[in-house]
Amino acid sequence: MRRAKKVTNKLKQAQQKSLRQRALEYLGKREYSTAELGQKLKTYADESDDIPALLTDFKARGWLSDARFTAQLINARKVKFGSAKVAHELKEKGIADDLIADAVSEIKENELEYATEVWRKKFKAVASDRHEWAKQARFLQSRGFGFDTIKKVLSKQDNDD
C-alpha cells in the first residue's frame, strides 16, 4: 500500500513537472498572456493540476507578464493594423482593460502614418471614382483603422496628386 502511494506521488510530480516544462517550452518560443498560457495548459492538465498556482509562480519569477506580452504584440501589429483591431486582439487574449487602453493610446499617436503606409503598399493609386474609394476605405477598415483616419488618408492622397 505504501509503495503504491509513493508511485502515485511520483507520477503526480512527473505530471506537474511535465506541465511546468510544457509551460516553459511555450514561453521559450514567444510571449504569452496569462489567460492564453492557462488555456494552452488546460489541454494537458488533469483535475489534480493547479494551473493558477503555476501561472502565479511564473508571474512572481518574472517569466510571465501581460504588460510584456502587450508591448510585444503592439510592436508586431501597429505597422499593419489600426488601434481597433489591436485592441480586439488584446481583449481576445485576456489582457486587462487598463493595459489595452494604454496600448490603444500608444498606437493612435502614429495611426495616420501607419494607415498611409498600409494604403500605399496596397493601392499605390488614388481612387478614381466612388466605387474605388469605397473599396480602399473597406480595406483600411478591415485592418482596424477608424473612419476619421481613413478619410484623412484617402483625402490626403487626393491632395498629394
Side-chain angles (χ1 to χ4, degrees):
M1 180 82 149
R2 195 166 190 205
R3 181 155 172 82
K5 193 172 186 177
K6 200 173 191 178
V7 169
T8 306
N9 285 341
K10 284 192 175 192
L11 283 173
K12 282 185 180 180
Q13 287 175 349
Q15 261 187 332
Q16 185 68 20
K17 185 178 180 184
S18 135
L19 194 63
R20 185 180 189 85
Q21 187 64 37
R22 211 177 287 274
L24 287 171
E25 287 172 5
Y26 279 130
L27 289 173
K29 293 177 184 172
R30 71 170 179 91
E31 288 289 335
Y32 283 88
S33 70
T34 304
E36 187 181 20
L37 184 60
Q39 200 61 25
K40 281 197 170 287
L41 294 177
K42 276 184 185 177
T43 58
Y44 301 106
D46 60 14
E47 42 299 319
S48 66
D49 292 329
D50 192 10
I51 293 174
L54 181 67
L55 296 176
T56 303
D57 179 43
F58 279 22
K59 281 183 176 180
R61 293 173 185 260
W63 296 343
L64 182 64
S65 168
D66 283 347
R68 198 169 53 232
F69 171 77
T70 303
Q72 183 268 331
L73 192 118
I74 288 170
N75 283 335
R77 304 284 196 274
K78 69 182 177 185
V79 178
K80 288 185 177 182
F81 300 108
S83 58
K85 188 157 185 152
V86 173
H88 179 72
E89 188 173 351
L90 288 170
K91 193 164 214 58
E92 280 183 335
K93 303 287 185 182
I95 300 299
D97 289 338
D98 59 330
L99 287 174
I100 292 174
D102 292 342
V104 167
S105 66
E106 183 181 324
I107 292 172
K108 282 194 177 213
E109 290 176 8
N110 298 320
E111 192 170 37
L112 183 60
E113 291 174 31
Y114 300 141
T116 304
E117 191 57 36
V118 167
W119 176 87
R120 191 171 288 128
K121 283 182 181 179
K122 176 74 175 179
F123 294 106
K124 297 178 180 73
V126 177
S128 57
D129 60 357
R130 288 180 129 184
H131 178 72
E132 184 65 25
W133 192 93
K135 178 181 174 182
Q136 292 179 8
R138 280 192 307 272
F139 170 76
L140 290 171
Q141 188 178 22
S142 74
R143 290 293 184 101
F145 295 106
F147 191 68
D148 292 339
T149 304
I150 293 169
K151 279 178 37 177
K152 288 177 185 174
V153 168
L154 296 179
S155 65
K156 181 180 172 186
Q157 303 313 317
D158 285 340
N159 294 338
D160 286 350
D161 291 339

